[in-house]
Amino acid sequence: MIKVVKFGGSSLASAEQFRKVKEILSADSKRRYVVPSAPGKRHKNDTKVTDMLYTCYELAQADGDYKPVLRKIRARYNEIINGLKLNMSLDDEFAAIEENFKNKAGIDYAASRGEYLNGILMSRYIGYDFIDAAEVIRFDKKGNFDPDTTNKILKERLKKTERAVIPGFYGATADGQVKTFSRGGSDITGSIVAKASKADLYENWTDVSGFLIADPRIIEKPQVIKVITYRELRELSYMGATVLHEDAIFPVRKEGIPINIKNTNAPDDPGTFIVESTCQKPEFTITGIAGKQGFVAVNIEKDMMNSEIGFGRKVLAAFEENQISFEHTPSGIDTFTVFVHQEEFEGKEQSVLSAIHRLAEPDSIDLEADLSLIAVVGRGMRSTRGTAGRIFSALAHANINVKMIDQGSSELNVIIGVSNDDFVQAIRAIYDIFVVTRL
Ligand code: ASP
């Protein structure tokens, strides 16, 4: 049995955190492949090593004084090395990095050094082999991740290694140019390693005990989701709930490898399991709630529109012309509404309106701004009657006016549109009815 374990930046921010990681690894010999992030924040006002690397490289590139920042980065690693009483030095590595910065090796190379150095440090501390991600994670010439080549190379390499540390966040093109994923991308590396090693489990260690049912800034101490499916996670992540990088699910999802979100600071907590499918009954009817603020509803009216073939296409073409993506399109007999992101829409609104008039010849168009969308997600809703009824009676009791309702055909989610002013209250009312009073 193989477990791939990825540790996030806060799990590796200090010597103390490294000790916790070592204990976690010693507690289970199946934890064979380790993917570290760069050292993150030790406290709230701290700076992540990755951010310091970006700053440092930008200074070097502009021929500014990058040395103080580089010294600070070095101090972060030395603090860990000394704290762990390791007999090692990263001096040669730092000399090479400085040289490459001067030679303008690229911003991706610079950013990747956080994980690279942490990987070397970690491998020395726990006695695992070190595999440089630049040798096994492949990007194509355009800078896109190349999953097939990576899987081939990585599979072969891992076969030769019983236990290894593979730094997260970066890889390289065939000719050795370092490329990174987007921020938070070590999650993706973990997933890629899990796939290549045909792992039984991908453990993603962070600083929370799993995925929460609702945003803790809105709900005080929300419950943790015990089991969530990949599809449910997609719905919630899309609506702004984040624990895991969005792209991290794809490599493991196809292989049916579950992900377990775990807390380095509370390793006995079960955390959240992210799975392909489950017959385990969810604890509550809903799995989670998430929402986003800042939408505009573009309401279009035209008598007899429902019998006009191609009306929807013409309306949407007006948005396409203006390079605006739409979120939802609830419609009535003579009305058609398009929900769009306010930020994206504001600067182009008149151009969109004139395009709709030109293409679809409506009777009138009316705009409603400052709206929020809330997604109530749960596989349990499919088999439970009256979920929608309960949502709306909870909202009615809280005196909230519902502007839009959209239930996906998967019956996995209900999307509700409310005014921005009602956003927080609406989430609280829904959480209350399903989780607190367990209706
Ligand atoms: N260190 C990188 C970042 O801060 C990648 C990661 O931690 O996953 O974005």
Side-chain angles (χ1 to χ4, degrees):
M1 194 176 179
I2 298 175
K3 289 184 186 175
V4 169
V5 283
K6 180 255 166 181
F7 291 95
S10 59
S11 301
L12 299 168
S14 64
E16 191 195 342
Q17 292 301 83
F18 265 74
R19 278 192 210 99
K20 290 183 193 167
V21 166
K22 193 173 190 177
E23 238 168 71
I24 289 166
L25 295 174
S26 341
D28 186 346
S29 64
K30 298 187 265 322
R31 294 178 173 138
R32 285 175 40 191
Y33 299 119
V34 181
V35 176
S37 281
K41 294 185 180 189
R42 290 161 293 184
H43 47 81
K44 217 171 142 216
N45 299 322
D46 204 7
T47 312
K48 292 179 179 183
V49 164
T50 309
D51 289 321
M52 291 201 269
L53 284 163
Y54 279 120
T55 311
C56 188
Y57 185 74
E58 270 155 24
L59 281 168
Q61 211 179 17
D63 296 321
D65 187 8
Y66 63 87
K67 282 185 197 270
V69 188
L70 197 59
R71 264 200 299 276
K72 271 196 197 159
I73 298 170
R74 201 162 167 165
R76 289 288 311 261
Y77 288 97
N78 284 338
E79 186 189 292
I80 299 171
I81 292 173
N82 297 334
L84 298 174
K85 299 195 172 56
L86 287 177
N87 183 17
M88 69 178 284
S89 144
L90 292 171
D91 288 354
D92 290 349
E93 297 292 345
F94 270 100
I97 291 170
E98 188 164 356
E99 200 47 41
N100 289 330
F101 272 30
K102 282 187 199 150
N103 295 333
K104 313 217 161 42
I107 192 85
D108 282 19
Y109 165 81
S112 74
R113 296 304 88 184
E115 272 69 12
Y116 171 78
L117 294 168
N118 228 18
I120 294 178
L121 210 171
M122 165 77 77
S123 72
R124 286 290 286 270
Y125 178 51
I126 60 175
Y128 285 23
D129 293 339
F130 173 74
I131 300 177
D132 186 351
E135 290 166 17
V136 289
I137 307 280
R138 183 60 61 81
F139 285 69
D140 65 20
K141 282 197 194 90
K142 286 189 197 137
N144 296 320
F145 172 57
D146 176 351
D148 296 335
T149 315
T150 299
N151 200 46
K152 243 185 255 155
I153 301 174
L154 187 55
K155 217 159 87 184
E156 285 311 307
R157 182 67 186 83
L158 293 177
K159 269 188 204 155
K160 297 183 199 137
T161 317
E162 183 69 18
R163 294 177 184 277
V165 175
I166 306 111
F169 189 40
Y170 72 95
T173 58
D175 51 19
Q177 202 185 353
V178 171
K179 292 275 167 208
T180 61
F181 294 109
S182 56
R183 295 300 303 264
S186 298
D187 286 341
I188 308 174
T189 311
S191 185
I192 293 166
V193 174
K195 174 181 165 149
S197 61
K198 295 210 180 302
D200 300 275
L201 184 65
Y202 168 24
E203 286 180 343
N204 189 293
W205 291 80
T206 173
D207 53 7
V208 286
S209 290
F211 214 88
L212 302 172
I213 293 186
D215 187 337
R217 287 165 299 186
I218 296 176
I219 305 288
E220 205 187 320
K221 293 211 175 93
Q223 298 258 357
V224 172
I225 300 172
K226 292 199 174 111
V227 183
I228 183 169
T229 64
Y230 288 126
R231 287 176 64 200
E232 289 174 316
L233 184 74
R234 279 282 291 159
E235 302 282 351
L236 289 173
S237 305
Y238 184 69
M239 277 301 206
T242 50
V243 168
L244 197 68
H245 191 294
E246 254 201 301
D247 295 340
I249 61 174
F250 297 111
V252 287
R253 181 179 181 164
K254 276 200 192 137
E255 308 297 311
I257 302 168
I259 306 174
N260 188 193
I261 308 282
K262 295 275 286 178
N263 188 349
T264 304
N265 305 316
D268 294 332
D269 285 355
T272 299
F273 275 91
I274 307 168
V275 299
E276 185 184 13
S277 174
T278 174
C279 56
Q280 271 187 51
K281 268 228 170 288
E283 203 176 348
F284 310 103
T285 309
I286 61 162
T287 302
I289 316 161
K292 274 190 195 165
Q293 289 178 281
F295 290 92
V296 175
V298 182
N299 298 312
I300 301 143
E301 277 197 40
K302 184 173 187 181
D303 282 344
M304 308 294 287
M305 87 160 54
N306 71 327
S307 54
E308 183 181 329
I309 290 171
F311 185 80
R313 179 182 51 76
K314 290 174 203 157
V315 169
L316 294 179
F319 290 87
E320 189 179 353
E321 263 185 18
N322 286 280
Q323 290 292 299
I324 293 175
S325 69
F326 67 92
E327 293 292 309
H328 292 279
T329 55
S331 63
I333 302 170
D334 295 329
T335 60
F336 189 86
T337 301
V338 184
F339 272 79
V340 288
H341 286 276
Q342 196 153 335
E343 254 182 19
E344 227 179 296
F345 180 72
E346 264 166 357
K348 300 176 177 168
E349 63 170 26
Q350 294 312 317
S351 157
V352 175
L353 296 195
S354 63
I356 298 173
H357 276 290
R358 173 167 39 84
L359 297 167
E361 297 173 347
D363 296 336
S364 66
I365 307 175
D366 151 69
L367 300 180
E368 189 171 3
D370 302 318
L371 299 178
S372 302
L373 292 176
I374 297 170
V376 185
V377 175
R379 60 189 183 281
M381 299 198 302
R382 222 177 300 173
S383 53
T384 316
R385 269 169 223 203
T387 311
R390 274 174 281 158
I391 296 174
F392 298 115
S393 79
L395 293 174
H397 273 108
N399 239 332
I400 291 164
N401 182 24
V402 176
K403 308 247 177 207
M404 195 267 307
I405 307 160
D406 191 353
Q407 177 171 27
S409 51
S410 60
E411 285 187 60
L412 197 68
N413 62 358
V414 177
I415 311 276
I416 300 147
V418 299
S419 132
N420 278 350
D421 295 339
D422 289 332
F423 179 68
V424 166
Q425 260 329 97
I427 291 182
R428 287 190 183 141
I430 298 167
Y431 184 86
D432 240 47
I433 193 127
F434 288 105
V435 183
V436 182
T437 53
R438 284 176 183 256
L439 266 179

